[in-house]
């Protein structure tokens, strides 16, 4: 079957081509000279579209898309078109789409851009990453970049290839840009406030991060329709190697900022466990719009109930510090709530805690809770906190019965969707510089070693 080539502008479909290039298309492709040009490959996750929720000064508005035909690429195109036609600050993307079973080969042979964006089915993502960097293309990939031990080995090869070909491979770590996570890291670097990071124990870890997610949610104001393959752990990955990627990244990033980690020396897995979230046929239909379970999910069905191994917990040490990360998936959050995050870092002088429960109206709030008996702590805290206020004007300390709450102006609470543009802009800075920070690649390798080896251990592997 031949693939289809089609160009989509603001007004929709303007050309359909079965193999030749028209003068109009040539003019479109040469329309704007920018240093960066995006190639979107097999977009199957809404994160692919969120990268394009904003425009970027150095990025060509013409985006080349290569995908297999089906609902996934259509959902991606629909979201981009909504961004293009929204009333406030519309984007101006033009999508030139090729669909066909040979989409990857076509992309690699044509090389119509220099940055490959990957956000979709994770079963082949690591292979797509490796082939892209082998071809001399930069890669901006949604997490996870590897979902099992074999994928981890291939990912290591991809990083070696990227270095050889002088291209940058980077994953989309949006949670670093959530303001309470950012401030928790900032405060942990101030000895007068935090003291020293504690070592903790297996039963009382020094760092713990918990994340609760929901299969049914709203994105850009509309109910999210998830592809059926999202519920197949062989394609999406288990929770332990999916959302947990963010949590492991935050542990590394917060506890050892800018430090190069060695996964072979610095990480020790202690215990792991996994469990399934159960979905009824009606719940599955609500979130996928599919009346039946596809064949590839039959292995996970018992008495018509779908069991999705989306929950996981990892207990480990990082450079001797005891850490625990856990993720739990539910079907739908109660009205007025949403995904939640809990994080604690234990210092010799104070604990830094992010809570996002009912008392916080399901919005993340950062607290400082003193653990030392230093009578002069409050004075030292107030003085040291000014250095953070200089970086983030408007934040304030608000005393409560347990310590202090960090009052954060609304301008910093930009929402999860906005973080994709923030990560993209940071990646573009690295592309301009021609290199990533020294610690990023070894720490990405350490992160995926942690998640993939934890899954292997949880499933009984050694």
């Amino acid at each position: 079957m031949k693939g289809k080539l089609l160009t989509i502008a603001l007004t929709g479909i303007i050309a359909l081509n079965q193999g030749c290039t028209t003068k109009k298309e040539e003019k479109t492709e040469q329309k704007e000279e920018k240093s960066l040009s995006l190639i979107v490959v097999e977009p199957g996750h809404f994160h692919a579209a969120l990268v394009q929720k904003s425009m970027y000064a150095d990025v060509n508005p013409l985006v080349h898309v290569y995908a297999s035909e089906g609902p996934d690429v259509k959902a991606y195109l629909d979201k981009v078109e909504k961004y293009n036609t929204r009333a406030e600050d519309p984007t101006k993307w033009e999508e030139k789409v090729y669909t066909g079973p040979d989409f990857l080969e076509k992309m690699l042979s044509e090389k119509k851009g220099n940055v490959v964006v990957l956000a979709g089915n994770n079963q082949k993502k690591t292979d797509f990453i490796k082939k892209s960097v082998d071809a001399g293309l930069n890669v901006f990939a949604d997490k996870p970049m590897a979902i099992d031990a074999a994928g981890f080995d291939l990912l290591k090869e991809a990083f070696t290839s990227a270095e050889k070909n002088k291209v940058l491979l980077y994953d989309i770590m949006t949670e670093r840009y959530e303001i309470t996570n950012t401030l928790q890291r900032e405060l942990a670097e101030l000895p007068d406030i935090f003291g020293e990071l504690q070592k903790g124990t297996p039963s009382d870890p020094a760092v713990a991060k918990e994340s609760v997610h929901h299969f049914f949610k709203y994105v850009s104001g509309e109910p999210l329709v998830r592809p059926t393959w999202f519920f197949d752990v062989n394609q999406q990955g288990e929770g332990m190697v999916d959302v947990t990627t963010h949590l492991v990244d935050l542990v590394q990033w917060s506890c050892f900022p800018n430090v190069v980690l060695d996964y072979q020396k610095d990480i020790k897995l202690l215990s792991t466990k996994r469990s399934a979230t159960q979905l009824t046929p009606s719940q599955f239909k609500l979130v996928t719009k599919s009346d039946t379970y596809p064949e590839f999910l039959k292995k996970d069905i018992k008495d018509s109930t779908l069991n999705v191994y989306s929950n996981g917990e990892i207990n480990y040490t990082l450079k001797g510090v005891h850490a625990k990360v856990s993720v739990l998936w539910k079907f739908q959050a109660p009205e007025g709530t949403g995904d939640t995050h809990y994080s604690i870092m234990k210092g010799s002088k104070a604990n830094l805690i992010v809570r996002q429960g009912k008392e916080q109206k399901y919005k993340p709030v950062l607290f400082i809770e003193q653990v030392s008996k230093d009578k002069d702590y409050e004075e030292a805290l107030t003085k040291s906190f000014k250095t953070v206020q200089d970086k983030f004007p408007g934040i304030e300390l608000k005393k409560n019965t347990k310590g202090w709450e960090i009052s954060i102006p609304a301008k910093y609470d930009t929402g999860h969707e906005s973080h994709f543009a923030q990560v993209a802009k940071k990646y573009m800075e690295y592309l301009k510089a021609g290199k990533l920070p020294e610690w990023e690649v070894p720490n990405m390798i350490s992160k995926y070693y942690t998640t993939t080896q934890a899954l292997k251990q949880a499933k009984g592997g050694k």
Side-chain angles (χ1 to χ4, degrees):
M1 181 187 293
K2 281 189 176 181
K4 292 181 181 177
L5 180 67
L6 111 137
T7 303
I8 299 178
L10 292 178
T11 55
I13 300 172
I14 61 172
L16 179 62
N17 191 318
Q18 291 293 344
C20 61
T21 303
T22 66
K23 289 181 180 179
K24 188 173 184 180
E25 284 175 338
E26 288 175 359
K27 186 178 179 182
T28 302
E29 290 191 42
Q30 296 168 3
K31 180 179 175 181
E32 235 174 307
E33 287 298 325
K34 300 278 188 177
S35 59
L36 300 175
S37 186
L38 305 182
I39 306 171
V40 176
V41 176
E42 193 73 326
H45 196 288
F46 67 94
H47 288 176
L50 286 178
V51 171
Q52 292 175 244
K53 195 175 181 182
S54 303
M55 301 297 293
Y56 309 96
D58 296 314
V59 178
N60 195 313
L62 179 62
V63 177
H64 290 269
V65 182
Y66 296 84
S68 52
E69 289 191 64
D72 288 359
V73 68
K74 183 181 183 303
Y76 155 78
L77 292 170
D78 287 346
K79 283 186 176 64
V80 174
E81 182 64 11
K82 283 184 173 66
Y83 301 149
N84 278 344
T85 55
R86 67 192 176 204
E88 187 176 339
D89 191 25
T91 51
K92 298 177 181 178
W93 299 109
E94 295 182 26
E95 307 280 302
K96 186 172 182 182
V97 185
Y98 176 86
T99 58
D102 61 340
F103 67 89
L104 185 66
E105 293 77 9
K106 185 84 170 172
M107 183 277 286
L108 293 171
S109 66
E110 293 186 343
K111 292 187 185 178
K112 292 287 188 177
N114 52 11
V115 178
V116 173
V117 177
L118 290 169
N121 192 313
N122 296 317
Q123 192 171 43
K124 297 180 180 178
K125 186 190 284 180
T126 317
D127 182 56
F128 291 172
I129 289 170
K130 176 66 164 54
K131 287 177 178 173
S132 296
V133 296
D134 285 349
L137 296 167
N138 299 289
V139 174
F140 189 46
D142 191 30
K143 60 82 195 155
M145 293 202 292
I147 61 172
D148 53 30
F152 171 73
D153 291 338
L154 186 59
L155 183 62
K156 283 196 300 177
E157 292 178 22
F159 277 114
T160 300
S161 177
E163 183 178 19
K164 177 184 175 183
N165 292 318
K166 294 182 171 54
V167 293
L168 303 187
L169 168 56
Y170 196 59
D171 61 354
I172 303 175
M173 291 290 100
T174 51
E175 293 307 303
R176 295 181 186 180
Y177 296 84
E178 199 285 316
I179 186 61
T180 57
N181 292 333
T182 303
L183 291 175
Q184 188 181 46
R185 181 181 192 251
E186 291 279 344
L187 294 171
E189 291 192 75
L190 299 175
D192 286 345
I193 293 177
F194 186 62
E196 294 182 359
L197 179 64
Q198 298 299 282
K199 296 294 185 182
T201 66
S203 59
D204 184 23
V207 187
K209 296 183 184 292
E210 302 169 3
S211 187
V212 179
H213 285 254
H214 300 87
F215 287 123
F216 184 85
K217 64 173 67 176
Y218 288 83
V219 174
S220 298
E222 296 185 347
L224 174 64
V225 178
R226 295 189 186 272
T228 55
W229 59 256
F230 183 85
F231 298 91
D232 180 13
V233 293
N234 293 335
Q235 299 182 68
Q236 174 63 21
E238 293 202 13
M240 193 174 288
V241 294
D242 182 18
V243 173
T244 311
T245 307
H246 281 304
L247 306 183
V248 173
D249 181 76
L250 289 175
V251 170
Q252 296 180 173
W253 183 73
S254 303
C255 297
F256 299 99
N258 309 328
V259 173
V260 174
L261 300 173
D262 182 340
Y263 77 93
Q264 293 174 309
K265 297 178 181 177
D266 294 333
I267 298 163
K268 182 181 179 183
L269 292 175
L270 302 178
S271 64
T272 58
K273 63 182 180 181
R274 57 197 276 270
S275 63
T277 296
Q278 296 185 324
L279 269 67
T280 65
S282 60
Q283 289 174 326
F284 183 76
K285 181 178 179 178
L286 180 63
V287 74
T288 65
K289 306 304 179 189
S290 176
D291 291 318
T292 58
Y293 294 123
E295 189 64 32
F296 56 73
L297 286 178
K298 296 294 173 66
K299 67 184 187 307
D300 302 318
I301 297 167
K302 185 176 181 181
D303 298 328
S304 79
T305 299
L306 177 64
N307 295 274
V308 186
Y309 276 86
S310 50
N311 312 315
E313 179 181 294
I314 309 172
N315 289 278
Y316 65 109
T317 59
L318 179 65
K319 293 182 81 68
V321 173
H322 285 268
K324 174 186 172 182
V325 295
S326 57
V327 62
L328 174 67
W329 280 81
K330 299 179 180 180
F331 178 69
Q332 184 176 0
E335 187 71 28
T337 71
D339 295 348
T340 61
H341 175 71
Y342 171 82
S343 172
I344 184 168
M345 295 180 67
K346 298 178 181 179
S348 56
K349 293 184 178 179
N351 294 334
L352 305 174
I353 309 171
V354 177
R355 296 188 176 96
Q356 195 179 356
K358 186 176 180 180
E359 288 184 16
Q360 293 77 43
K361 298 180 181 177
Y362 299 98
K363 296 286 186 182
V365 180
L366 176 60
F367 299 90
I368 301 172
E369 297 184 359
Q370 182 182 353
V371 294
S372 71
K373 299 187 184 298
D374 185 357
K375 294 180 180 179
D376 298 322
Y377 178 77
E378 185 169 358
E379 182 181 345
L381 162 67
T382 304
K383 183 178 179 181
S384 190
F385 191 75
K386 285 183 170 60
T387 63
V388 185
Q389 287 176 310
D390 289 341
K391 289 184 181 180
F392 301 90
I395 65 169
E396 300 288 345
L397 283 171
K398 189 164 69 175
K399 196 164 186 179
N400 58 30
T401 55
K402 292 183 178 180
W404 296 265
E405 175 186 325
I406 312 300
S407 177
I408 302 172
K411 66 180 179 180
Y412 294 114
D413 183 18
T414 54
H416 175 63
E417 295 184 16
S418 70
H419 301 325
F420 287 84
Q422 291 173 288
V423 183
K425 287 175 183 176
K426 178 61 69 175
Y427 178 57
M428 290 166 196
E429 288 177 18
Y430 297 150
L431 288 171
K432 276 187 178 179
K435 63 179 181 179
L436 294 169
E438 182 184 0
W439 52 272
E440 278 283 21
V441 169
N443 291 13
M444 279 189 275
I445 292 172
S446 294
K447 173 172 57 188
Y448 287 106
Y449 170 81
T450 302
T451 56
T452 57
Q453 287 298 311
L455 177 62
K456 184 178 179 180
Q457 185 182 102
K459 294 176 77 172
K462 293 184 180 180

